[in-house]
């Protein structure tokens, strides 16, 4: 009797167990299945079948149902109870019709199909061929899995060895990395300390700029007052006419030159203060209802002397209808005066400058264009950086601190707008465009009526007390007031202010704010509290001019706030507004 052949490869013949107690049927099975080329093993009873199964591995069992001693169902049950054969397919062969219950019983015992006697060779052969091929594929998969498992085990072993080597390397690397991390941490700490020092230095720089600009106002106040005194002395007042003469009449050209240069110094100091305030977050806007035309008129008026000095024709293209804005008029005027000032500064004399306004639905664009030295297009955006100037000898010769355009950009952005610089290249002019958002149309504020007394040509002779610890500032301001026809008294110590006011009985007090011992705020409180102090006109003369500074002087009881150096026209206007003394006529000096 043939025995099962061990399967060493997936392509080997499949062992098929033929179980039947009738030799004729076994012979028939063999004749039908031998063409398949599989290894056919015969067993003539259930017991012989179990013995054969213990000696080899079979891919299929062809099992007769009706056998003596142990029928096919009992044999199938014993076969599938063994773990090795619980999934071995069984084809039952029966010569009698089986009921549905018998079929169900057979399927529960592991039968995959039934074959009826007489057997149709083609049907049996095709069923066995399919199951044998299925077993062969399953065996192929099993061998592949075993090969993979072996390869995986070898790989795991190799990886384990590599992992050990890697772990050793990582241990060394981690030690080195820890040392490097300590170094980096030390560097980071040092960098953080350096950054903190830089921030502190930057803060001190901003404070220094603000303090420097403020401190420069004291000597400039003396210089400005001295220039006004020289202008007044150049045309000595006639008998009783000093206070009534036109303080803005043309004077000695040298006086005008000094006045212009003083104006430039004031502008530079204002820019320094604004930069410091912006960096410190202290610059605030005072928005109000205004118009683009009003802003530009103020800017043009500011730069008109420069335009005339350089013989520049300013072409202004502005819509006839007012374009309403809700903005800080003074700050926006500063923006456009800076742009116009740059256009004049960097253009040859006699070249035209253009100012154009265009409006869209929700934006207004103001463009200042010149035909001056131009910009490198690749670095056009850099001109808005603080202290940045175009790196050419021509540019360096034209002066400036490089802060005007920085202020332009910051102030425009504070209004929710944007500014852009453009140029076709060096020597081909520049174009600066400011785009501002338009709010819903707002009613423009009505012009403020000029206070009574300021519109008259005459002047009231008054008694003016000047209190300033800076002797030069006090002396020059007092001299200017005297040349304007007023009687003055000077006080250099704030502690002596109250006694001087009691003795002199002034109508108006010009009071410095930053003084040692007692501040101007303290002195103002003392003067107001003294008998008759409620009728005094108090004028703050200080280097600080922000809205917060003005609000503070107002809260301290001051009537006016002048920023050093004070303008003679402003001082004259304040004095004109004073009530006349009893018995004093309009023509009195």
């Amino acid at each position: 009797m043939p025995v099962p052949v061990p399967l060493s490869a997936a392509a080997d013949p499949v062992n098929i167990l033929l179980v039947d107690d009738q030799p004729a049927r076994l012979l028939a099975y063999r004749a039908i299945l031998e063409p398949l080329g599989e290894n056919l093993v015969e067993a003539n009873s259930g017991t012989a079948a179990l013995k054969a199964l213990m000696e080899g591995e079979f891919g299929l069992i062809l099992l007769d149902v009706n056998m003596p001693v142990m029928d096919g169902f009992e044999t199938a049950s014993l076969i599938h109870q063994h773990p090795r054969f619980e999934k071995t397919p069984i084809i039952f062969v029966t010569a009698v019709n089986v009921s549905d219950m018998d079929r169900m019983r057979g399927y529960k015992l592991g039968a995959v199909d039934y074959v009826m006697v007489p057997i149709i060779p083609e049907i049996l052969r095709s069923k066995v061929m399919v199951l044998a091929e299925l077993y062969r594929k399953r065996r192929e998969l099993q061998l592949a899995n075993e090969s993979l498992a072996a390869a995986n085990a070898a790989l795991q072993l190799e990886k384990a060895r590599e992992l050990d080597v890697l772990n050793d390397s990582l241990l060394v690397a981690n030690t080195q990395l820890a040392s490097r991390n300590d170094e980096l941490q030390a560097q980071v700490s040092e960098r953080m300390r350096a950054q903190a020092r830089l921030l502190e230095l930057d803060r001190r720089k901003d404070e220094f700029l603000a303090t420097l600009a403020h401190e420069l106002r004291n000597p400039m106040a003396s210089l400005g007052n001295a220039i006004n005194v020289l202008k007044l002395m150049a045309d000595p007042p006639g008998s009783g006419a000093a206070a009534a003469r036109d303080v803005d009449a043309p004077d000695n050209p040298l006086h005008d030159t000094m006045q212009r240069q003083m104006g430039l110094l004031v502008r530079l100091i204002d820019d320094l203060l604004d930069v410091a305030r912006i960096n410190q977050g202290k610059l605030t806007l005072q928005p109000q209802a205004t118009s683009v035309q009003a802003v530009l008129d103020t800017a043009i008026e500011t730069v008109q002397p420069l335009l005339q000095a350089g013989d520049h024709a300013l072409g202004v293209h502005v819509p006839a209808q007012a374009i309403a804005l809700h903005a800080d008029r003074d700050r926006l005027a500063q923006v456009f005066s800076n742009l116009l000032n740059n256009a004049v500064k960097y253009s040859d004399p006699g070249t035209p400058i253009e100012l154009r306004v265009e409006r869209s639905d929700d934006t207004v664009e103001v463009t200042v264009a010149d035909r001056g030295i131009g910009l490198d297009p690749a670095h056009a955006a850099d001109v808005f950086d603080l202290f940045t100037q175009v790196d050419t000898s021509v540019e360096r010769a034209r002066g400036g601190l490089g802060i005007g355009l920085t202020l332009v950009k910051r102030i425009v952005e504070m209004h929710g707008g944007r500014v852009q610089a453009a140029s076709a290249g060096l020597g081909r002019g520049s174009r600066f465009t400011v785009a501002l958002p338009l709010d819903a149309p707002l009613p423009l504020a009505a012009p403020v009526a000029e206070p009574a007394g300021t519109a008259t040509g005459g002047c009231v002779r008054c008694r003016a007390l000047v209190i300033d610890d800076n002797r030069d500032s006090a002396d020059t301001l007092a001299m200017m007031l005297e040349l304007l026809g007023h009687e003055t008294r000077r006080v250099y110590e704030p502690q002596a202010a109250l006694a001087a006011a009691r003795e002199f009985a002034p109508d108006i007090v010009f009071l410095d704010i930053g003084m040692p011992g007692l501040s101007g705020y303290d002195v103002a409180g003392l003067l107001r509290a003294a008998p008759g102090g409620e009728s005094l006109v108090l004028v703050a003369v200080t280097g600080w001019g922000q809205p917060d500074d003005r609000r503070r002087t107002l809260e301290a009881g001051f009537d006016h706030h002048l920023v050093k150096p004070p303008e003679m026209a402003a001082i004259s206007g304040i004095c004109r507004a004073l009530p006349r003394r009893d018995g004093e006529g309009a023509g009195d000096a």
Side-chain angles (χ1 to χ4, degrees):
M1 181 180 68
V3 296
V5 176
L7 295 178
S8 59
D12 290 345
V14 177
N15 292 326
I16 299 176
L17 182 60
L18 309 177
V19 184
D20 201 311
D21 61 317
Q22 299 182 25
R25 284 189 186 173
L26 289 174
L27 184 60
Y29 298 155
R30 179 172 292 278
I32 293 171
L33 299 178
E34 271 188 343
L36 298 179
E38 310 295 353
N39 184 42
L40 305 177
V41 179
E42 299 174 2
N44 56 9
S45 65
T47 303
L50 293 175
K51 181 179 179 181
L53 287 169
M54 298 305 295
E55 296 175 352
E57 185 174 348
F58 291 85
L60 171 64
I61 301 173
L62 193 63
L63 180 61
D64 183 23
V65 173
N66 299 310
M67 292 187 299
V69 183
M70 184 186 300
D71 64 13
F73 292 131
E74 292 174 324
T75 303
S77 176
L78 292 173
I79 289 172
H80 280 175
Q81 288 178 13
H82 197 286
R84 282 176 53 198
F85 312 119
E86 60 182 351
K87 294 184 179 179
T88 303
I90 298 174
I91 297 178
F92 281 116
V93 180
T94 178
V96 297
N97 291 328
V98 294
S99 65
D100 291 340
M101 294 300 295
D102 291 335
R103 289 179 181 275
M104 184 177 298
R105 181 185 178 191
Y107 287 137
K108 287 182 178 180
L109 292 174
V112 296
D113 208 345
Y114 275 86
V115 176
M116 302 299 295
V117 178
I119 296 172
I120 301 175
E122 289 78 7
I123 293 177
L124 178 60
R125 190 181 299 119
S126 63
K127 290 183 177 183
V128 170
M129 182 174 62
V130 170
L131 292 174
E133 186 62 28
L134 181 63
Y135 175 81
R136 189 175 285 109
K137 293 296 183 183
R138 194 163 56 243
R139 178 61 179 170
E140 181 180 351
L141 180 61
Q142 180 183 351
L143 292 175
N145 286 337
E146 291 174 356
S147 176
L148 285 175
N152 185 56
L155 182 61
Q156 290 292 336
L157 182 61
E158 179 63 25
K159 291 299 180 183
R161 286 195 296 266
E162 293 179 359
L163 185 59
D164 290 339
V165 174
L166 181 60
N167 284 337
D168 293 339
S169 300
L170 286 176
L171 182 60
V172 174
N174 284 337
T175 303
Q176 296 174 346
L177 184 60
S179 176
R180 181 58 178 161
N181 281 339
D182 292 340
E183 295 177 5
L184 288 176
Q185 188 63 40
Q187 293 178 8
V188 168
S189 299
E190 178 59 30
R191 185 166 298 178
M192 291 178 65
R193 287 192 294 270
Q195 184 177 10
R197 288 195 296 270
L198 286 175
L199 290 174
E200 176 64 17
L201 290 174
D202 188 62
R203 183 188 65 80
R204 292 183 182 180
K205 178 262 296 179
D206 292 333
E207 291 181 354
F208 169 76
L209 288 177
T211 303
L212 174 65
H214 175 264
E215 291 302 319
L216 285 175
R217 288 189 183 276
N218 284 321
M220 287 182 58
S222 302
L223 289 173
N225 292 338
I227 292 172
N228 289 330
V229 168
L230 289 175
K231 292 179 69 175
L232 291 171
M233 292 177 64
D235 183 16
S239 175
R245 67 199 192 91
D246 184 2
V247 297
D248 294 324
D251 261 331
N252 188 315
L254 290 178
H255 296 160
D256 294 337
T257 299
M258 289 187 290
Q259 197 73 48
R260 284 196 302 273
Q261 296 306 313
M262 177 61 65
L264 291 176
L265 285 174
V266 171
R267 185 188 184 103
L268 288 174
I269 289 176
D270 288 341
D271 286 350
L272 281 174
L273 275 173
D274 287 342
V275 167
R277 292 187 187 110
I278 287 177
N279 290 338
Q280 294 172 336
K282 295 181 179 179
L283 186 67
T284 58
L285 299 179
Q286 300 295 317
Q288 59 182 334
T290 184
S291 68
V292 174
Q293 288 84 346
V295 170
L296 295 179
D297 286 345
T298 302
I300 293 171
E301 181 181 357
T302 302
V303 300
Q304 192 64 43
L306 296 176
L307 291 168
Q308 293 175 352
D311 195 24
H312 296 285
L314 179 62
V316 181
H317 308 278
V318 180
Q321 184 178 1
I323 302 175
L325 278 179
H326 189 71
D328 189 323
R329 173 175 172 172
D330 293 337
R331 287 298 180 185
L332 282 185
Q334 180 183 1
V335 165
F336 295 114
S337 64
N338 277 357
L339 293 177
L340 289 170
N341 180 69
N342 277 3
V344 171
K345 184 188 298 185
Y346 301 123
S347 298
D348 292 332
T351 55
I353 296 172
E354 183 177 278
L355 178 64
R356 182 176 296 275
V357 177
E358 295 181 351
R359 176 179 180 171
S360 62
D361 292 337
D362 57 356
T363 305
V364 60
E365 290 189 352
V366 182
T367 301
V368 176
D370 62 61
R371 301 180 186 178
I373 65 173
L375 299 168
D376 180 354
H379 300 93
D382 297 341
V383 298
F384 297 105
D385 295 339
L386 187 60
F387 304 132
T388 296
Q389 294 184 345
V390 180
D391 190 19
T392 69
S393 58
V394 174
E395 163 66 11
R396 286 197 298 269
R398 305 194 182 232
L401 297 178
I403 59 180
L405 289 178
T406 301
L407 287 174
V408 166
K409 184 173 186 292
R410 302 286 182 86
I411 293 173
V412 169
E413 289 175 347
M414 290 176 70
H415 281 85
R418 65 184 186 280
V419 59
Q420 292 179 326
S423 175
L426 296 177
R428 303 180 66 181
S430 304
R431 185 175 66 258
F432 289 84
T433 302
V434 174
L436 294 170
L438 291 176
D439 298 324
L442 297 173
L444 298 183
V448 179
E450 189 175 7
T454 60
T456 63
C459 181
V460 177
R461 175 180 294 178
C462 67
R463 298 166 67 87
L465 179 62
V466 179
I467 306 173
D468 196 329
D469 62 308
N470 187 307
R471 288 178 175 267
D472 290 337
S473 293
D475 291 343
T476 52
L477 178 55
M479 291 174 64
M480 181 171 60
L481 288 167
E482 290 167 357
L483 288 171
L484 287 172
H486 306 295
E487 184 180 353
T488 67
R489 177 74 61 86
R490 309 164 195 181
V491 176
Y492 308 122
E493 299 290 339
Q495 293 80 0
L498 192 59
R502 190 181 301 115
E503 177 186 349
F504 183 58
D507 303 302
I508 185 170
V509 178
F510 292 89
L511 180 56
D512 183 29
I513 296 298
M515 296 184 293
L518 285 176
S519 71
Y521 303 117
D522 299 328
V523 175
L526 294 174
L527 293 174
R528 286 293 188 208
E534 68 279 356
S535 62
L536 276 177
V537 175
L538 300 183
V539 181
V541 184
T542 175
W544 306 110
Q546 280 296 291
D548 286 343
D549 304 318
R550 297 178 183 274
R551 182 169 57 252
R552 187 176 178 187
T553 55
L554 181 64
E555 293 171 353
F558 286 90
D559 300 290
H560 302 279
H561 185 113
L562 297 180
V563 179
K564 293 181 178 180
E567 296 182 1
M568 183 166 59
I571 293 174
S572 182
I574 292 173
C575 292
R576 287 195 193 103
L578 292 173
R580 299 181 182 278
R581 288 174 172 269
D582 293 340
E584 192 176 61
D588 293 343

